[in-house]
């Protein structure tokens, strides 16, 4: 599938298997979400543009580089919150803009309850952070919002995607690369990813 990247890194596969395990407790689960978010963001940012700069080392001048773009991290509440800390460690000058969405249990459509985006963006690239891409409704609604806001360079960083959600996001926004730790089999009749890991929000926050 064009623009869909399932990580082939052995550490990602190893950590994901512990994350999926129903016996993994919320503390360990949060630690793994953070670590996986870092590994996947490393891959998702491999093509960032650089601008040259000169740095004075103790031994002289070094021709060096810095990331050219202003980056925004956009976690989708709640479950995307657990991905922020690690990614922010990699990109400490990033701005963080939260989007609150929950899935209506009956229709599975996203319902927006939080959005404080300012009128004009100060960032040129957004990384949308959400562990689960199930029907794709939440991710697609978030990308819709960001494009209306004026940011066109958007990447989705998640942990597990279902084929249905990948198809929905790709169809609506073929320009948005999707970076995942794994692509799973399917959705069940209530919109959960199979085999997935259960409810990513509940497992992080101990609310299941
Ligand atoms: C989960 C998950 C995604 C969404 C994915 O959030 O974190 O945001 O479902 O499903 P979709 O692809 O079908 O839209 P949920 O609605 O359970 O809210 P929560 O994170 O607050 O628990
Ligand atoms: N949201 C989750 O947290 N898990 C799923 O499997 C689907 C949506």
């Amino acid at each position: 599938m064009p623009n869909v990247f399932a990580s082939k890194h052995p550490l990602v596969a190893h950590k994901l298997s512990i994350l999926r395990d129903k016996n993994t407790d919320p503390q360990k689960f949060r630690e793994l979400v953070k670590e996986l978010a870092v590994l996947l963001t490393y891959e998702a940012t491999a093509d960032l543009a650089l601008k040259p700069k000169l740095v004075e080392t103790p031994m002289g001048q070094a021709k060096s580089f810095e990331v050219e773009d202003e980056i925004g991290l956009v976690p989708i509440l709640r479950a995307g919150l657990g991905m922020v800390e690690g990614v922010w460690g990699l990109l400490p000058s990033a701005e963080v803009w939260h989007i609150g969405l929950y899935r209506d249990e009956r229709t599975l459509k996203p319902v927006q309850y939080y959005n404080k985006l300012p009128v004009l963006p100060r960032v040129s690239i957004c990384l949308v952070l959400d562990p689960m891409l199930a029907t794709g409704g939440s991710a697609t609604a978030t990308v819709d919002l960001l494009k209306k806001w004026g940011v066109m360079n958007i990447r989705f960083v998640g942990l597990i995607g279902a084929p249905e959600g990948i198809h929905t996001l790709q169809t609506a926004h073929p320009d948005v690369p999707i970076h995942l730790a794994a692509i799973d089999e399917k959705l069940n009749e209530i919109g959960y990813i199979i085999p997935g890991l259960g409810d990513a929000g509940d497992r992080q926050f101990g609310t299941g």
Side-chain angles (χ1 to χ4, degrees):
M1 271 174 287
N3 245 1
V4 180
F5 306 96
S7 178
K8 294 188 172 55
H9 200 294
L11 289 182
V12 169
H14 179 89
K15 288 176 190 295
L16 182 65
S17 70
I18 307 171
L19 189 79
R20 287 184 191 274
D21 190 329
K22 66 180 183 189
N23 295 315
T24 297
D25 66 28
Q27 186 182 17
K28 183 69 182 169
F29 192 93
R30 290 192 296 274
E31 186 184 306
L32 290 161
V33 167
K34 179 177 157 184
E35 290 171 352
L36 282 162
V38 170
L39 293 169
L40 291 165
T41 300
Y42 177 77
E43 295 182 349
T45 52
D47 63 344
L48 287 184
L50 293 171
K51 58 183 178 193
K53 66 186 267 191
L54 285 176
V55 169
E56 294 293 336
T57 81
M59 311 304 287
Q61 266 192 343
K63 286 181 185 164
S64 306
F65 300 93
E66 64 186 2
V67 172
E68 191 167 50
D69 288 288
E70 300 300 325
I71 298 178
L73 309 183
V74 184
I76 303 179
L77 306 179
R78 291 178 298 163
L81 277 178
M83 299 175 71
V84 173
E85 190 188 337
V87 178
W88 219 358
L90 278 185
L91 298 163
S93 59
E95 295 182 3
V96 180
W97 294 103
H98 301 85
I99 298 295
L101 295 175
Y102 70 86
R103 289 198 311 175
D104 180 297
E105 280 179 14
R106 201 174 42 84
T107 63
L108 296 183
K109 299 282 179 233
V111 180
Q112 187 183 308
Y113 61 89
Y114 187 83
N115 170 6
K116 291 275 185 192
L117 293 176
V119 177
L120 291 175
R122 294 185 302 246
V123 297
S124 47
I125 297 183
C126 281
L127 302 181
V128 176
L129 308 177
D130 191 335
M132 308 306 273
L133 184 61
T135 65
S138 305
T140 303
T142 302
V143 174
D144 288 344
L145 266 177
L146 295 174
K147 285 189 175 173
K148 277 198 197 107
W149 190 36
V151 177
M152 295 300 158
N153 189 335
I154 300 169
R155 295 135 196 243
F156 180 86
V157 183
L159 300 185
I160 302 180
E164 295 89 333
I166 292 169
H167 177 74
T168 298
L169 180 56
Q170 273 228 302
T171 305
H173 299 290
D175 56 302
V176 173
I178 300 174
H179 293 268
L180 297 165
I183 299 172
D184 273 9
E185 208 178 298
K186 61 178 183 183
L187 292 181
N188 70 6
E189 61 290 349
I190 56 166
Y192 274 78
I193 299 176
I194 304 298
L197 49 71
D199 188 306
D202 283 345
R203 292 200 62 187
Q204 283 180 73
F205 297 108
T207 50

